[in-house]
Amino acid sequence: MDRYLDLDSSWKKMLNYDFGTIEAFLEEEKRDNITFYPKNADIFNAFKFTPFENVKVVILGQDPYHGENQAHGLAFSVQHGVDVPPSLKNIYKELSSDLNITPPKHGNLTSWAKSGIFLLNTVLTVRAADAHSHQKKGWEEFTDAVIKIISDDKENVVFILWGKPAQKKASLIDEKKHLIIKSAHPSPLSSYRGFFGSRPFSRANEYLVKKNIAPVDWELV
């Protein structure tokens, strides 16, 4: 997995995971000349930009965007120069309503990741133009392990679970040690009633402050 794996050193210490099944599947996709996203160097960007010790908030998505040049290893984020996707537009609307933050014109969430917001998808790769195509290929077991490590080895983390796939991870989280915020997924393709007005950003900060932890700066640069 060395050709794919690019983690911050703190994650390498925490994760002792056998990527054999996932690597074999990705290599098979390559042999069949199937395009998948994100590119190799970006698959583990969430782990690169948010060291384990910096994790304050976990936002859990489903799988990466499946359009060209969109996905870059951070859930809900797209690279600079790419149109803001509908799900992220809805996230920005809720951010504006919740904290009166003016949404940026771009969709790159790297500054969130660098401020302690761990932007993790339940599945880390996807075929081009084929949503959910890399489900049940081993990624779910890996992200289960990641969530459990965060829950077991940290305290007072906010887990924001949008949509049913993300909410399935709730059973891995110790609610006595952490805050779980659940709501509908922000995608217009799903029934996102229940997403607007859920105030995940202010609720996360209220919890962190209550635990004597510096709140997150949700304003995107």
Side-chain angles (χ1 to χ4, degrees):
M1 200 70 183
D2 288 347
R3 75 170 67 183
Y4 303 103
L5 204 57
D6 189 6
L7 311 181
D8 177 83
S9 59
S10 63
W11 284 107
K12 289 181 180 179
K13 293 176 184 176
M14 299 302 301
L15 287 170
N16 181 20
Y17 193 81
D18 181 1
F19 286 96
T21 299
I22 297 170
E23 183 173 24
F25 169 70
L26 295 181
E27 290 302 311
E28 183 179 352
E29 294 281 87
K30 285 181 175 293
R31 285 194 299 272
D32 292 341
N33 294 315
I34 293 171
T35 299
F36 61 86
Y37 304 124
K39 62 183 181 181
N40 292 357
D42 290 340
I43 291 174
F44 291 95
N45 270 350
F47 299 85
K48 181 164 60 175
F49 293 133
T50 313
F52 179 80
E53 62 269 16
N54 290 359
V55 174
K56 291 183 177 182
V57 176
V58 177
I59 293 181
L60 197 58
Q62 296 183 22
D63 61 350
Y65 297 120
H66 51 79
E68 187 176 6
N69 296 323
Q70 287 185 306
H72 66 124
L74 303 177
F76 297 104
S77 180
V78 292
Q79 301 185 72
H80 284 290
V82 176
D83 290 343
V84 178
S87 292
L88 186 53
K89 286 182 179 178
N90 284 341
I91 291 170
Y92 283 172
K93 287 178 183 177
E94 180 62 17
L95 181 66
S96 176
S97 173
D98 188 10
L99 293 178
N100 198 30
I101 290 176
T102 301
K105 295 181 180 180
H106 64 81
N108 191 302
L109 305 180
T110 300
S111 64
W112 274 6
K114 291 182 176 179
S115 67
I117 304 167
F118 188 47
L119 298 167
L120 181 69
N121 280 313
T122 58
V123 174
L124 301 192
T125 55
V126 66
R127 285 182 177 181
D130 190 3
H132 313 305
S133 50
H134 282 191
Q135 287 184 345
K136 299 181 181 178
K137 304 299 182 182
W139 282 124
E140 291 90 346
E141 289 79 7
F142 168 66
T143 52
D144 279 356
V146 172
I147 294 295
K148 193 164 190 321
I149 285 170
I150 296 172
S151 177
D152 290 350
D153 288 42
K154 294 184 71 72
E155 293 184 358
N156 304 322
V157 172
V158 180
F159 290 84
I160 298 176
L161 310 180
W162 288 330
K164 290 182 180 179
Q167 290 171 20
K168 288 180 181 178
K169 303 283 193 186
S171 62
L172 303 168
I173 303 165
D174 185 348
E175 291 192 72
K176 295 177 182 177
K177 295 169 58 183
H178 308 285
L179 174 66
I180 299 176
I181 297 174
K182 298 178 184 179
S183 77
H185 193 278
S187 171
L189 299 177
S190 65
S191 178
Y192 59 85
R193 292 185 183 130
F195 174 73
F196 291 127
S198 60
R199 299 176 50 247
F201 312 105
S202 62
R203 288 166 64 193
N205 277 355
E206 287 165 5
Y207 175 82
L208 293 172
V209 170
K210 184 178 178 180
K211 298 297 182 180
N212 297 313
I213 300 170
V216 169
D217 181 2
W218 292 99
E219 191 153 5
L220 284 155
V221 296

